């Protein structure tokens, strides 16, 4: 499946990512390629549907999670936000009755939002702002917002309860963080998506890639949102690169977060098989050539083959503990994805 031109040309990998799942997978990929001296160009197309204005600042949760993770400054326990963080500014803002009391922005994090907001105010598009913010960290990957236009995921609440003040529609972050996705969502609305265009470089990265990877990000409100930007789904279908994904669902449950609530809303079962089928086989108008499932879901491999998707089963919990083979769990997932994409030989360990 590999369309590579020469062994020394950089391996061009495009990824579509949400926050924590996308960030950790991308970090694992970048680190493995570096350890094996594989020249590579990584482009991460990040969901911006969770973005919002808060306390006068433009906050881009998934872009920041990916940036902080790749930069090595993320709060590892949380998976998002800065390490060694304080919240004095947020406390002051809350004392003025501003912000969301259930949503704390850390002080170091606020500096990112101030910088972003200032650059946006100067008229730079989000893609350029993102490049400017990333420059400082030199983390060896290019981050692109899915779009320079604002596309915000809103959640139409189902049932009687709604938000406490009677609102029927809330921003995705309010549903996720304050309501913990416990109030059922009738539907997700991508506000602004009709007028959105892929950010400069997004379509080119997908079309020019040797491999396209879908990390284990939320299939509905992360990857699904990116795919909603007109042109991105079509680019994935059209690229000559193989497209390989990693299931975010293990043994019928999300590894972290409430992706099950999102899947229920769009009528997809919370299984690795159903998510694979939801993306569909590229040979049949869908998106995937290959799909990694956890060993707990190994029995779905034949059904995925019937659906036209080549699947492999291996442990899919990302982790940093080094096994007897010298690989972390994340390394093994990355290698399996690259192998399924037909470029495994390019990342084989070099003979000593
Ligand atoms: P968010 O924007 O921070 O919610 O992050 P993403 O959308 O990128 O990732 C969330 C998804 O990643 C959830 O559905 C999790 O189940 C999945 N996830 C997180 N950690 C792991 C892991 O170690 N392995 C797998 N297979 N999935 C994971
Ligand atoms: Ca997110």
């Amino acid at each position: 499946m590999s369309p590579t031109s020469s062994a020394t040309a950089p391996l061009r990998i495009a990824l579509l990512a949400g926050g924590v799942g996308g960030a950790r997978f991308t970090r694992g990929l970048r680190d493995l390629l570096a350890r094996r001296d594989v020249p590579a160009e990584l482009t991460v197309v990040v969901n911006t549907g969770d973005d919002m204005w808060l306390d006068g600042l433009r906050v881009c949760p998934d872009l920041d999670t990916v940036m902080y993770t790749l930069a090595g400054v993320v709060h590892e326990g949380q998976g998002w936000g800065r390490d060694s963080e304080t919240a004095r500014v947020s406390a002051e803002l809350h004392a003025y009755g501003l912000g969301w009391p259930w949503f704390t922005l850390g002080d170091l994090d606020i500096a990112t939002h101030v910088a972003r907001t200032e650059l946006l105010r100067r008229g730079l598009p989000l893609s350029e702002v993102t490049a400017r913010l990333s420059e400082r960290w030199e983390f060896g990957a290019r981050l692109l917002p899915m779009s320079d236009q604002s596309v915000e995921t809103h959640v139409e609440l189902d049932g009687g309860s709604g938000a406490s003040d009677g609102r029927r529609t809330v921003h995705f972050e309010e549903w996720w963080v304050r309501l913990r996705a416990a109030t059922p969502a009738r539907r997700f609305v991508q506000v602004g998506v009709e007028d959105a265009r892929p950010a400069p470089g997004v379509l080119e990265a997908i079309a020019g890639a040797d491999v396209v990877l879908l990390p284990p990000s939320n299939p509905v409100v992360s990857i699904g949102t990116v795919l909603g930007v007109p042109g991105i789904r079509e680019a994935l279908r059209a690229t000559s690169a193989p497209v390989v994904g990693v299931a975010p669902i293990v043994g019928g449950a999300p590894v972290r977060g409430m992706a099950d609530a999102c899947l229920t809303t769009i009528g997809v079962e919370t299984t690795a098989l159903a998510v694979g089928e939801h993306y569909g086989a590229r040979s049949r108008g869908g998106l995937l050539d290959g799909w990694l499932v956890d060993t707990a879901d190994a029995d779905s491999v034949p059904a995925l083959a019937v659906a036209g998707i080549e699947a492999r089963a291996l442990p899919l919990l990302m982790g940093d503990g080094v096994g007897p083979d010298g690989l972390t769990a994340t390394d093994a997932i990355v290698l399996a994805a690259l192998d399924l994409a037909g470029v495994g030989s390019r990342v084989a360990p070099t003979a000593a």
Side-chain angles (χ1 to χ4, degrees):
M1 288 202 266
S2 167
T4 53
S5 47
S6 99
T8 51
L11 189 57
R12 290 163 304 178
I13 303 179
L15 303 99
L16 308 191
V20 179
R24 289 189 172 163
F25 180 87
T26 305
R27 178 176 61 186
L29 171 69
R30 178 202 60 187
D31 292 350
L32 180 93
L33 294 171
R35 281 204 310 283
R36 297 201 170 173
D37 287 327
V38 181
E41 285 173 13
L42 306 188
T43 304
V44 194
V45 179
V46 182
N47 169 43
T48 53
D50 305 359
D51 295 8
M52 63 203 156
W53 287 98
L54 195 61
D55 298 328
L57 304 173
R58 190 65 178 164
V59 180
C60 302
D62 287 358
L63 277 170
D64 290 339
T65 295
V66 177
M67 181 169 84
Y68 295 154
T69 302
L70 294 179
V73 297
V74 77
H75 187 297
E76 284 293 339
Q78 286 175 173
W80 50 270
R82 292 285 300 269
D83 199 9
S84 309
E85 184 61 294
T86 48
R88 300 185 66 198
V89 175
S90 241
E92 281 297 288
L93 289 166
H94 292 161
Y96 283 118
L98 290 176
W100 290 335
W102 41 268
F103 199 94
T104 298
L105 300 176
D107 295 334
L108 299 175
D109 196 30
I110 283 177
T112 304
H113 311 317
V114 170
R116 172 183 296 121
T117 305
E118 168 59 14
L119 294 170
L120 287 171
R121 207 177 61 90
R122 287 185 202 171
L124 268 62
L126 183 61
S127 50
E128 277 181 43
V129 173
T130 303
R132 282 281 291 275
L133 298 182
S134 305
E135 237 168 55
R136 164 186 176 196
W137 305 102
E138 299 183 349
F139 47 63
R142 185 162 64 127
L143 297 195
L144 294 177
M146 64 189 195
S147 177
D148 276 337
Q149 287 76 46
S150 161
V151 179
E152 282 191 10
T153 303
H154 290 192
V155 184
E156 277 183 22
L157 301 174
D158 211 352
S161 48
S164 46
D165 55 6
R167 278 173 303 140
R168 309 304 312 165
T169 302
V170 296
H171 188 283
F172 169 74
E173 289 291 339
E174 181 169 2
W175 182 68
W176 193 251
V177 180
R178 185 170 78 81
L179 302 175
R180 304 297 300 158
T183 305
R186 191 200 315 268
R187 110 186 150 94
F188 300 102
V189 183
Q190 288 180 275
V191 179
V193 75
E194 309 79 29
D195 301 321
R197 296 178 301 283
V202 168
L203 299 182
E204 294 80 354
I206 295 171
D210 297 311
V211 178
V212 177
L213 297 177
L214 306 188
S217 284
N218 188 309
V220 185
V221 292
S222 292
I223 306 252
T225 307
V226 177
L227 294 172
V229 176
I232 296 189
R233 183 183 291 274
E234 294 72 12
L236 242 71
R237 287 209 182 116
T239 181
S240 59
V243 180
V244 172
V246 182
I249 303 298
V250 167
V255 175
R256 39 186 297 155
M258 293 79 70
D260 46 338
C262 305
L263 287 164
T264 302
T265 298
I266 63 160
V268 174
E269 244 187 286
T270 302
T271 63
L273 171 62
V275 174
E277 288 174 336
H278 166 65
Y279 286 136
R282 269 214 309 165
S283 57
R284 301 183 193 171
L287 303 173
L288 293 176
D289 296 299
W291 188 230
L292 297 180
V293 301
D294 190 81
T295 38
D297 304 307
D299 58 359
S300 66
V301 171
L304 284 157
V306 170
I309 301 165
E310 187 180 353
R312 279 192 210 155
L314 77 160
L316 284 193
L317 297 188
M318 293 186 280
D320 300 332
V322 179
D325 53 1
L327 297 176
T328 67
T330 311
D331 291 337
I333 297 167
V334 163
L335 284 169
L338 294 174
D339 199 49
L340 201 48
V343 295
S345 61
R346 294 190 63 182
V347 295
T350 41

